[in-house]
Amino acid sequence: GGLETITLEMIANDDVGAIRRIPGRLALNSKITLYQYVMNFLVNGFSTNCTYDSVYLFHASHGNLATTALTDTSLNTAKVAMMAQTAYDNAIGFLGIRPKYMVVPAALEKTAWTLRNSEVLTGISGNNATEPNYHRNTFDVIVAPYFTDQNDWFLIADPKMVPTIELGFFQGNEQPELFTQDMPNVGSVFDSDQIKYKLRHIYGATVIDHR
């Protein structure tokens, strides 16, 4: 959550209507904060343990870690690794899962878009212009603009089949709540001639399956 304080002087000097935009900016910031909170489970997955096995989310023992740049070949290798995942404590219970989403930094958006949409592998390293693009229309691209490492790209299976991150909201309130302290005879307005906006959004999350 957070507080935003508005003084009488600010209201008097607001010739461009900036104060009226504060509630909307608070709501937008709440969305961005939640977005980054969830995405950080991915980008920090090389250094943060899963609670259920005390192993990093992305780890060789989980069968979901590679270090190669995003290309046709590395994408195919990652798909094969995902297909090879088996159910918990069942070495022959192959899940047969495929990627539904690819998460990339902004620097890899063009490469991801080409792999997702091109009919042939033109412009993709190591391929010629006539080879059909096996990856076409097999996943959706999500761009995380604040990711800075071009080697950080991720494939995620359909959450309906293999839920990776569980996100819970306090008392089921998925939308942020905005409160206004503007009563003239109580609180900050009475004490200091200040109006206060308060934003509240309570949630928590954890990794529940590395597959």
PDB file of all heavy atoms in Angstrom, residues 35-68:
ATOM      1  N   TYR A  35       2.386  -6.899 -11.105  1.00  0.00           N
ATOM      2  CA  TYR A  35       2.998  -7.521 -12.283  1.00  0.00           C
ATOM      3  C   TYR A  35       4.451  -7.879 -12.012  1.00  0.00           C
ATOM      4  O   TYR A  35       4.898  -9.003 -12.266  1.00  0.00           O
ATOM      5  CB  TYR A  35       2.875  -6.550 -13.454  1.00  0.00           C
ATOM      6  CG  TYR A  35       3.729  -6.857 -14.659  1.00  0.00           C
ATOM      7  CD1 TYR A  35       3.334  -7.801 -15.591  1.00  0.00           C
ATOM      8  CD2 TYR A  35       4.926  -6.181 -14.870  1.00  0.00           C
ATOM      9  CE1 TYR A  35       4.114  -8.073 -16.707  1.00  0.00           C
ATOM     10  CE2 TYR A  35       5.713  -6.437 -15.974  1.00  0.00           C
ATOM     11  CZ  TYR A  35       5.299  -7.386 -16.890  1.00  0.00           C
ATOM     12  OH  TYR A  35       6.077  -7.656 -17.984  1.00  0.00           O
ATOM     13  N   GLN A  36       5.208  -6.929 -11.450  1.00  0.00           N
ATOM     14  CA  GLN A  36       6.609  -7.186 -11.170  1.00  0.00           C
ATOM     15  C   GLN A  36       6.776  -8.193 -10.044  1.00  0.00           C
ATOM     16  O   GLN A  36       7.721  -8.993 -10.054  1.00  0.00           O
ATOM     17  CB  GLN A  36       7.326  -5.876 -10.832  1.00  0.00           C
ATOM     18  CG  GLN A  36       7.438  -4.923 -12.015  1.00  0.00           C
ATOM     19  CD  GLN A  36       8.243  -3.677 -11.688  1.00  0.00           C
ATOM     20  OE1 GLN A  36       8.539  -3.404 -10.527  1.00  0.00           O
ATOM     21  NE2 GLN A  36       8.590  -2.916 -12.703  1.00  0.00           N
ATOM     22  N   TYR A  37       5.872  -8.194  -9.083  1.00  0.00           N
ATOM     23  CA  TYR A  37       5.932  -9.159  -7.988  1.00  0.00           C
ATOM     24  C   TYR A  37       5.862 -10.582  -8.526  1.00  0.00           C
ATOM     25  O   TYR A  37       6.619 -11.464  -8.103  1.00  0.00           O
ATOM     26  CB  TYR A  37       4.784  -8.888  -7.020  1.00  0.00           C
ATOM     27  CG  TYR A  37       4.635  -9.904  -5.908  1.00  0.00           C
ATOM     28  CD1 TYR A  37       5.547  -9.964  -4.860  1.00  0.00           C
ATOM     29  CD2 TYR A  37       3.561 -10.791  -5.902  1.00  0.00           C
ATOM     30  CE1 TYR A  37       5.402 -10.890  -3.840  1.00  0.00           C
ATOM     31  CE2 TYR A  37       3.413 -11.720  -4.893  1.00  0.00           C
ATOM     32  CZ  TYR A  37       4.334 -11.766  -3.856  1.00  0.00           C
ATOM     33  OH  TYR A  37       4.185 -12.688  -2.855  1.00  0.00           O
ATOM     34  N   VAL A  38       4.956 -10.810  -9.483  1.00  0.00           N
ATOM     35  CA  VAL A  38       4.813 -12.148 -10.058  1.00  0.00           C
ATOM     36  C   VAL A  38       6.003 -12.469 -10.968  1.00  0.00           C
ATOM     37  O   VAL A  38       6.582 -13.558 -10.895  1.00  0.00           O
ATOM     38  CB  VAL A  38       3.483 -12.258 -10.835  1.00  0.00           C
ATOM     39  CG1 VAL A  38       3.408 -13.591 -11.570  1.00  0.00           C
ATOM     40  CG2 VAL A  38       2.301 -12.116  -9.883  1.00  0.00           C
ATOM     41  N   MET A  39       6.380 -11.527 -11.831  1.00  0.00           N
ATOM     42  CA  MET A  39       7.482 -11.772 -12.758  1.00  0.00           C
ATOM     43  C   MET A  39       8.811 -12.004 -12.041  1.00  0.00           C
ATOM     44  O   MET A  39       9.686 -12.713 -12.547  1.00  0.00           O
ATOM     45  CB  MET A  39       7.615 -10.598 -13.733  1.00  0.00           C
ATOM     46  CG  MET A  39       6.529 -10.548 -14.784  1.00  0.00           C
ATOM     47  SD  MET A  39       6.570 -11.990 -15.876  1.00  0.00           S
ATOM     48  CE  MET A  39       5.205 -11.607 -16.973  1.00  0.00           C
ATOM     49  N   ASN A  40       8.968 -11.431 -10.857  1.00  0.00           N
ATOM     50  CA  ASN A  40      10.216 -11.615 -10.117  1.00  0.00           C
ATOM     51  C   ASN A  40      10.419 -13.060  -9.680  1.00  0.00           C
ATOM     52  O   ASN A  40      11.554 -13.475  -9.425  1.00  0.00           O
ATOM     53  CB  ASN A  40      10.247 -10.685  -8.901  1.00  0.00           C
ATOM     54  CG  ASN A  40      10.604  -9.256  -9.267  1.00  0.00           C
ATOM     55  OD1 ASN A  40      11.101  -8.991 -10.356  1.00  0.00           O
ATOM     56  ND2 ASN A  40      10.333  -8.330  -8.366  1.00  0.00           N
ATOM     57  N   PHE A  41       9.351 -13.838  -9.605  1.00  0.00           N
ATOM     58  CA  PHE A  41       9.524 -15.256  -9.306  1.00  0.00           C
ATOM     59  C   PHE A  41      10.315 -15.932 -10.422  1.00  0.00           C
ATOM     60  O   PHE A  41      11.052 -16.890 -10.175  1.00  0.00           O
ATOM     61  CB  PHE A  41       8.161 -15.938  -9.149  1.00  0.00           C
ATOM     62  CG  PHE A  41       7.537 -15.751  -7.801  1.00  0.00           C
ATOM     63  CD1 PHE A  41       6.690 -14.683  -7.559  1.00  0.00           C
ATOM     64  CD2 PHE A  41       7.789 -16.631  -6.774  1.00  0.00           C
ATOM     65  CE1 PHE A  41       6.112 -14.503  -6.319  1.00  0.00           C
ATOM     66  CE2 PHE A  41       7.224 -16.466  -5.528  1.00  0.00           C
ATOM     67  CZ  PHE A  41       6.378 -15.393  -5.291  1.00  0.00           C
ATOM     68  N   LEU A  42      10.152 -15.437 -11.654  1.00  0.00           N
ATOM     69  CA  LEU A  42      10.903 -15.997 -12.769  1.00  0.00           C
ATOM     70  C   LEU A  42      12.346 -15.501 -12.770  1.00  0.00           C
ATOM     71  O   LEU A  42      13.285 -16.290 -12.799  1.00  0.00           O
ATOM     72  CB  LEU A  42      10.224 -15.638 -14.093  1.00  0.00           C
ATOM     73  CG  LEU A  42       8.796 -16.135 -14.305  1.00  0.00           C
ATOM     74  CD1 LEU A  42       8.285 -15.691 -15.671  1.00  0.00           C
ATOM     75  CD2 LEU A  42       8.722 -17.642 -14.182  1.00  0.00           C
ATOM     76  N   VAL A  43      12.510 -14.185 -12.761  1.00  0.00           N
ATOM     77  CA  VAL A  43      13.854 -13.629 -12.911  1.00  0.00           C
ATOM     78  C   VAL A  43      14.724 -13.938 -11.697  1.00  0.00           C
ATOM     79  O   VAL A  43      15.967 -13.955 -11.807  1.00  0.00           O
ATOM     80  CB  VAL A  43      13.774 -12.108 -13.177  1.00  0.00           C
ATOM     81  CG1 VAL A  43      13.494 -11.323 -11.909  1.00  0.00           C
ATOM     82  CG2 VAL A  43      15.035 -11.596 -13.863  1.00  0.00           C
ATOM     83  N   ASN A  44      14.122 -14.205 -10.541  1.00  0.00           N
ATOM     84  CA  ASN A  44      14.883 -14.593  -9.350  1.00  0.00           C
ATOM     85  C   ASN A  44      14.887 -16.100  -9.141  1.00  0.00           C
ATOM     86  O   ASN A  44      15.355 -16.579  -8.094  1.00  0.00           O
ATOM     87  CB  ASN A  44      14.301 -13.909  -8.105  1.00  0.00           C
ATOM     88  CG  ASN A  44      14.445 -12.403  -8.144  1.00  0.00           C
ATOM     89  OD1 ASN A  44      15.398 -11.874  -8.704  1.00  0.00           O
ATOM     90  ND2 ASN A  44      13.486 -11.699  -7.562  1.00  0.00           N
ATOM     91  N   GLY A  45      14.380 -16.836 -10.125  1.00  0.00           N
ATOM     92  CA  GLY A  45      14.264 -18.280  -9.979  1.00  0.00           C
ATOM     93  C   GLY A  45      15.578 -19.027  -9.997  1.00  0.00           C
ATOM     94  O   GLY A  45      15.615 -20.234  -9.746  1.00  0.00           O
ATOM     95  N   PHE A  46      16.681 -18.304 -10.284  1.00  0.00           N
ATOM     96  CA  PHE A  46      18.007 -18.919 -10.269  1.00  0.00           C
ATOM     97  C   PHE A  46      18.670 -18.810  -8.897  1.00  0.00           C
ATOM     98  O   PHE A  46      19.758 -19.337  -8.690  1.00  0.00           O
ATOM     99  CB  PHE A  46      18.912 -18.258 -11.310  1.00  0.00           C
ATOM    100  CG  PHE A  46      18.283 -18.145 -12.663  1.00  0.00           C
ATOM    101  CD1 PHE A  46      17.705 -16.961 -13.078  1.00  0.00           C
ATOM    102  CD2 PHE A  46      18.259 -19.223 -13.532  1.00  0.00           C
ATOM    103  CE1 PHE A  46      17.124 -16.840 -14.327  1.00  0.00           C
ATOM    104  CE2 PHE A  46      17.679 -19.119 -14.786  1.00  0.00           C
ATOM    105  CZ  PHE A  46      17.109 -17.930 -15.182  1.00  0.00           C
ATOM    106  N   SER A  47      18.023 -18.098  -7.975  1.00  0.00           N
ATOM    107  CA  SER A  47      18.663 -17.841  -6.681  1.00  0.00           C
ATOM    108  C   SER A  47      17.716 -17.965  -5.496  1.00  0.00           C
ATOM    109  O   SER A  47      18.140 -17.753  -4.358  1.00  0.00           O
ATOM    110  CB  SER A  47      19.281 -16.435  -6.682  1.00  0.00           C
ATOM    111  OG  SER A  47      18.282 -15.452  -6.944  1.00  0.00           O
ATOM    112  N   THR A  48      16.457 -18.283  -5.757  1.00  0.00           N
ATOM    113  CA  THR A  48      15.469 -18.391  -4.684  1.00  0.00           C
ATOM    114  C   THR A  48      14.925 -19.807  -4.632  1.00  0.00           C
ATOM    115  O   THR A  48      14.442 -20.329  -5.641  1.00  0.00           O
ATOM    116  CB  THR A  48      14.312 -17.394  -4.892  1.00  0.00           C
ATOM    117  OG1 THR A  48      14.845 -16.072  -4.981  1.00  0.00           O
ATOM    118  CG2 THR A  48      13.329 -17.461  -3.739  1.00  0.00           C
ATOM    119  N   ASN A  49      14.979 -20.427  -3.473  1.00  0.00           N
ATOM    120  CA  ASN A  49      14.531 -21.810  -3.321  1.00  0.00           C
ATOM    121  C   ASN A  49      13.022 -21.928  -3.362  1.00  0.00           C
ATOM    122  O   ASN A  49      12.297 -21.049  -2.879  1.00  0.00           O
ATOM    123  CB  ASN A  49      15.031 -22.389  -1.992  1.00  0.00           C
ATOM    124  CG  ASN A  49      16.519 -22.678  -1.995  1.00  0.00           C
ATOM    125  OD1 ASN A  49      17.135 -22.759  -3.056  1.00  0.00           O
ATOM    126  ND2 ASN A  49      17.094 -22.819  -0.827  1.00  0.00           N
ATOM    127  N   CYS A  50      12.539 -23.026  -3.936  1.00  0.00           N
ATOM    128  CA  CYS A  50      11.141 -23.393  -3.807  1.00  0.00           C
ATOM    129  C   CYS A  50      10.913 -23.936  -2.399  1.00  0.00           C
ATOM    130  O   CYS A  50      11.763 -24.651  -1.852  1.00  0.00           O
ATOM    131  CB  CYS A  50      10.766 -24.459  -4.840  1.00  0.00           C
ATOM    132  SG  CYS A  50      10.960 -23.926  -6.550  1.00  0.00           S
ATOM    133  N   THR A  51       9.782 -23.644  -1.816  1.00  0.00           N
ATOM    134  CA  THR A  51       9.532 -24.054  -0.438  1.00  0.00           C
ATOM    135  C   THR A  51       9.326 -25.558  -0.314  1.00  0.00           C
ATOM    136  O   THR A  51       9.584 -26.133   0.745  1.00  0.00           O
ATOM    137  CB  THR A  51       8.300 -23.331   0.118  1.00  0.00           C
ATOM    138  OG1 THR A  51       7.171 -23.599  -0.730  1.00  0.00           O
ATOM    139  CG2 THR A  51       8.531 -21.827   0.181  1.00  0.00           C
ATOM    140  N   TYR A  52       8.899 -26.228  -1.381  1.00  0.00           N
ATOM    141  CA  TYR A  52       8.548 -27.634  -1.261  1.00  0.00           C
ATOM    142  C   TYR A  52       9.737 -28.575  -1.382  1.00  0.00           C
ATOM    143  O   TYR A  52       9.649 -29.735  -0.969  1.00  0.00           O
ATOM    144  CB  TYR A  52       7.479 -28.020  -2.284  1.00  0.00           C
ATOM    145  CG  TYR A  52       7.816 -27.703  -3.719  1.00  0.00           C
ATOM    146  CD1 TYR A  52       8.577 -28.558  -4.507  1.00  0.00           C
ATOM    147  CD2 TYR A  52       7.355 -26.524  -4.308  1.00  0.00           C
ATOM    148  CE1 TYR A  52       8.888 -28.257  -5.815  1.00  0.00           C
ATOM    149  CE2 TYR A  52       7.652 -26.220  -5.621  1.00  0.00           C
ATOM    150  CZ  TYR A  52       8.414 -27.088  -6.365  1.00  0.00           C
ATOM    151  OH  TYR A  52       8.718 -26.787  -7.674  1.00  0.00           O
ATOM    152  N   ASP A  53      10.864 -28.127  -1.947  1.00  0.00           N
ATOM    153  CA  ASP A  53      12.026 -29.015  -2.034  1.00  0.00           C
ATOM    154  C   ASP A  53      13.355 -28.309  -1.776  1.00  0.00           C
ATOM    155  O   ASP A  53      14.420 -28.932  -1.904  1.00  0.00           O
ATOM    156  CB  ASP A  53      12.071 -29.714  -3.391  1.00  0.00           C
ATOM    157  CG  ASP A  53      12.254 -28.740  -4.555  1.00  0.00           C
ATOM    158  OD1 ASP A  53      12.351 -27.519  -4.302  1.00  0.00           O
ATOM    159  OD2 ASP A  53      12.292 -29.195  -5.713  1.00  0.00           O
ATOM    160  N   SER A  54      13.312 -27.025  -1.428  1.00  0.00           N
ATOM    161  CA  SER A  54      14.510 -26.251  -1.101  1.00  0.00           C
ATOM    162  C   SER A  54      15.525 -26.231  -2.244  1.00  0.00           C
ATOM    163  O   SER A  54      16.731 -26.187  -2.018  1.00  0.00           O
ATOM    164  CB  SER A  54      15.172 -26.797   0.175  1.00  0.00           C
ATOM    165  OG  SER A  54      14.299 -26.687   1.278  1.00  0.00           O
ATOM    166  N   VAL A  55      15.024 -26.266  -3.475  1.00  0.00           N
ATOM    167  CA  VAL A  55      15.856 -26.185  -4.675  1.00  0.00           C
ATOM    168  C   VAL A  55      15.403 -24.972  -5.476  1.00  0.00           C
ATOM    169  O   VAL A  55      14.215 -24.619  -5.470  1.00  0.00           O
ATOM    170  CB  VAL A  55      15.741 -27.471  -5.520  1.00  0.00           C
ATOM    171  CG1 VAL A  55      16.551 -27.353  -6.802  1.00  0.00           C
ATOM    172  CG2 VAL A  55      16.189 -28.680  -4.716  1.00  0.00           C
ATOM    173  N   TYR A  56      16.343 -24.333  -6.171  1.00  0.00           N
ATOM    174  CA  TYR A  56      15.972 -23.196  -7.004  1.00  0.00           C
ATOM    175  C   TYR A  56      14.876 -23.592  -7.993  1.00  0.00           C
ATOM    176  O   TYR A  56      14.838 -24.733  -8.472  1.00  0.00           O
ATOM    177  CB  TYR A  56      17.171 -22.671  -7.785  1.00  0.00           C
ATOM    178  CG  TYR A  56      18.285 -22.096  -6.937  1.00  0.00           C
ATOM    179  CD1 TYR A  56      19.561 -21.949  -7.467  1.00  0.00           C
ATOM    180  CD2 TYR A  56      18.073 -21.699  -5.618  1.00  0.00           C
ATOM    181  CE1 TYR A  56      20.598 -21.425  -6.709  1.00  0.00           C
ATOM    182  CE2 TYR A  56      19.093 -21.172  -4.860  1.00  0.00           C
ATOM    183  CZ  TYR A  56      20.358 -21.048  -5.398  1.00  0.00           C
ATOM    184  OH  TYR A  56      21.379 -20.535  -4.641  1.00  0.00           O
ATOM    185  N   LEU A  57      14.011 -22.638  -8.327  1.00  0.00           N
ATOM    186  CA  LEU A  57      12.957 -22.900  -9.309  1.00  0.00           C
ATOM    187  C   LEU A  57      13.560 -23.431 -10.603  1.00  0.00           C
ATOM    188  O   LEU A  57      13.082 -24.426 -11.169  1.00  0.00           O
ATOM    189  CB  LEU A  57      12.158 -21.623  -9.579  1.00  0.00           C
ATOM    190  CG  LEU A  57      11.170 -21.658 -10.740  1.00  0.00           C
ATOM    191  CD1 LEU A  57      10.143 -22.771 -10.556  1.00  0.00           C
ATOM    192  CD2 LEU A  57      10.477 -20.302 -10.895  1.00  0.00           C
ATOM    193  N   PHE A  58      14.620 -22.765 -11.106  1.00  0.00           N
ATOM    194  CA  PHE A  58      15.310 -23.226 -12.308  1.00  0.00           C
ATOM    195  C   PHE A  58      16.619 -23.888 -11.880  1.00  0.00           C
ATOM    196  O   PHE A  58      17.547 -23.216 -11.417  1.00  0.00           O
ATOM    197  CB  PHE A  58      15.563 -22.065 -13.266  1.00  0.00           C
ATOM    198  CG  PHE A  58      14.296 -21.384 -13.702  1.00  0.00           C
ATOM    199  CD1 PHE A  58      13.991 -20.110 -13.248  1.00  0.00           C
ATOM    200  CD2 PHE A  58      13.399 -22.021 -14.543  1.00  0.00           C
ATOM    201  CE1 PHE A  58      12.821 -19.485 -13.633  1.00  0.00           C
ATOM    202  CE2 PHE A  58      12.225 -21.405 -14.925  1.00  0.00           C
ATOM    203  CZ  PHE A  58      11.932 -20.140 -14.478  1.00  0.00           C
ATOM    204  N   HIS A  59      16.686 -25.195 -12.045  1.00  0.00           N
ATOM    205  CA  HIS A  59      17.825 -25.958 -11.548  1.00  0.00           C
ATOM    206  C   HIS A  59      17.964 -27.224 -12.384  1.00  0.00           C
ATOM    207  O   HIS A  59      16.971 -27.763 -12.895  1.00  0.00           O
ATOM    208  CB  HIS A  59      17.612 -26.308 -10.072  1.00  0.00           C
ATOM    209  CG  HIS A  59      18.840 -26.825  -9.389  1.00  0.00           C
ATOM    210  ND1 HIS A  59      19.178 -28.154  -9.386  1.00  0.00           N
ATOM    211  CD2 HIS A  59      19.809 -26.172  -8.687  1.00  0.00           C
ATOM    212  CE1 HIS A  59      20.298 -28.316  -8.706  1.00  0.00           C
ATOM    213  NE2 HIS A  59      20.711 -27.139  -8.271  1.00  0.00           N
ATOM    214  N   ALA A  60      19.196 -27.708 -12.516  1.00  0.00           N
ATOM    215  CA  ALA A  60      19.439 -28.907 -13.316  1.00  0.00           C
ATOM    216  C   ALA A  60      18.628 -30.097 -12.809  1.00  0.00           C
ATOM    217  O   ALA A  60      18.111 -30.896 -13.599  1.00  0.00           O
ATOM    218  CB  ALA A  60      20.928 -29.244 -13.304  1.00  0.00           C
ATOM    219  N   SER A  61      18.475 -30.214 -11.488  1.00  0.00           N
ATOM    220  CA  SER A  61      17.720 -31.338 -10.942  1.00  0.00           C
ATOM    221  C   SER A  61      16.229 -31.232 -11.236  1.00  0.00           C
ATOM    222  O   SER A  61      15.507 -32.236 -11.162  1.00  0.00           O
ATOM    223  CB  SER A  61      17.940 -31.441  -9.430  1.00  0.00           C
ATOM    224  OG  SER A  61      17.416 -30.299  -8.758  1.00  0.00           O
ATOM    225  N   HIS A  62      15.766 -30.036 -11.566  1.00  0.00           N
ATOM    226  CA  HIS A  62      14.375 -29.855 -11.969  1.00  0.00           C
ATOM    227  C   HIS A  62      14.176 -30.086 -13.464  1.00  0.00           C
ATOM    228  O   HIS A  62      13.033 -30.089 -13.946  1.00  0.00           O
ATOM    229  CB  HIS A  62      13.895 -28.445 -11.610  1.00  0.00           C
ATOM    230  CG  HIS A  62      13.581 -28.259 -10.166  1.00  0.00           C
ATOM    231  ND1 HIS A  62      13.387 -27.018  -9.587  1.00  0.00           N
ATOM    232  CD2 HIS A  62      13.415 -29.169  -9.163  1.00  0.00           C
ATOM    233  CE1 HIS A  62      13.127 -27.161  -8.303  1.00  0.00           C
ATOM    234  NE2 HIS A  62      13.133 -28.452  -8.021  1.00  0.00           N
ATOM    235  N   GLY A  63      15.265 -30.229 -14.193  1.00  0.00           N
ATOM    236  CA  GLY A  63      15.168 -30.466 -15.629  1.00  0.00           C
ATOM    237  C   GLY A  63      14.618 -29.299 -16.414  1.00  0.00           C
ATOM    238  O   GLY A  63      14.031 -29.472 -17.485  1.00  0.00           O
ATOM    239  N   ASN A  64      14.812 -28.077 -15.899  1.00  0.00           N
ATOM    240  CA  ASN A  64      14.211 -26.914 -16.568  1.00  0.00           C
ATOM    241  C   ASN A  64      15.188 -25.746 -16.710  1.00  0.00           C
ATOM    242  O   ASN A  64      14.772 -24.598 -16.831  1.00  0.00           O
ATOM    243  CB  ASN A  64      12.979 -26.452 -15.797  1.00  0.00           C
ATOM    244  CG  ASN A  64      13.305 -25.977 -14.379  1.00  0.00           C
ATOM    245  OD1 ASN A  64      14.443 -26.004 -13.954  1.00  0.00           O
ATOM    246  ND2 ASN A  64      12.278 -25.561 -13.648  1.00  0.00           N
ATOM    247  N   LEU A  65      16.493 -26.042 -16.701  1.00  0.00           N
ATOM    248  CA  LEU A  65      17.486 -24.979 -16.761  1.00  0.00           C
ATOM    249  C   LEU A  65      18.399 -25.150 -17.965  1.00  0.00           C
ATOM    250  O   LEU A  65      18.894 -26.241 -18.228  1.00  0.00           O
ATOM    251  CB  LEU A  65      18.339 -24.982 -15.481  1.00  0.00           C
ATOM    252  CG  LEU A  65      19.484 -23.971 -15.424  1.00  0.00           C
ATOM    253  CD1 LEU A  65      18.954 -22.548 -15.446  1.00  0.00           C
ATOM    254  CD2 LEU A  65      20.338 -24.205 -14.185  1.00  0.00           C
ATOM    255  N   ALA A  66      18.599 -24.062 -18.709  1.00  0.00           N
ATOM    256  CA  ALA A  66      19.557 -24.028 -19.810  1.00  0.00           C
ATOM    257  C   ALA A  66      20.228 -22.656 -19.808  1.00  0.00           C
ATOM    258  O   ALA A  66      19.740 -21.723 -19.166  1.00  0.00           O
ATOM    259  CB  ALA A  66      18.881 -24.296 -21.144  1.00  0.00           C
ATOM    260  N   THR A  67      21.311 -22.533 -20.542  1.00  0.00           N
ATOM    261  CA  THR A  67      22.067 -21.278 -20.524  1.00  0.00           C
ATOM    262  C   THR A  67      22.315 -20.730 -21.923  1.00  0.00           C
ATOM    263  O   THR A  67      23.117 -19.817 -22.082  1.00  0.00           O
ATOM    264  CB  THR A  67      23.426 -21.480 -19.819  1.00  0.00           C
ATOM    265  OG1 THR A  67      24.157 -22.509 -20.498  1.00  0.00           O
ATOM    266  CG2 THR A  67      23.230 -21.865 -18.364  1.00  0.00           C
ATOM    267  N   THR A  68      21.614 -21.250 -22.930  1.00  0.00           N
ATOM    268  CA  THR A  68      21.849 -20.820 -24.304  1.00  0.00           C
ATOM    269  C   THR A  68      20.929 -19.673 -24.694  1.00  0.00           C
ATOM    270  O   THR A  68      19.841 -19.508 -24.146  1.00  0.00           O
ATOM    271  CB  THR A  68      21.628 -21.993 -25.277  1.00  0.00           C
ATOM    272  OG1 THR A  68      20.334 -22.573 -25.021  1.00  0.00           O
ATOM    273  CG2 THR A  68      22.690 -23.055 -25.084  1.00  0.00           C
TER     274      THR A  68
END
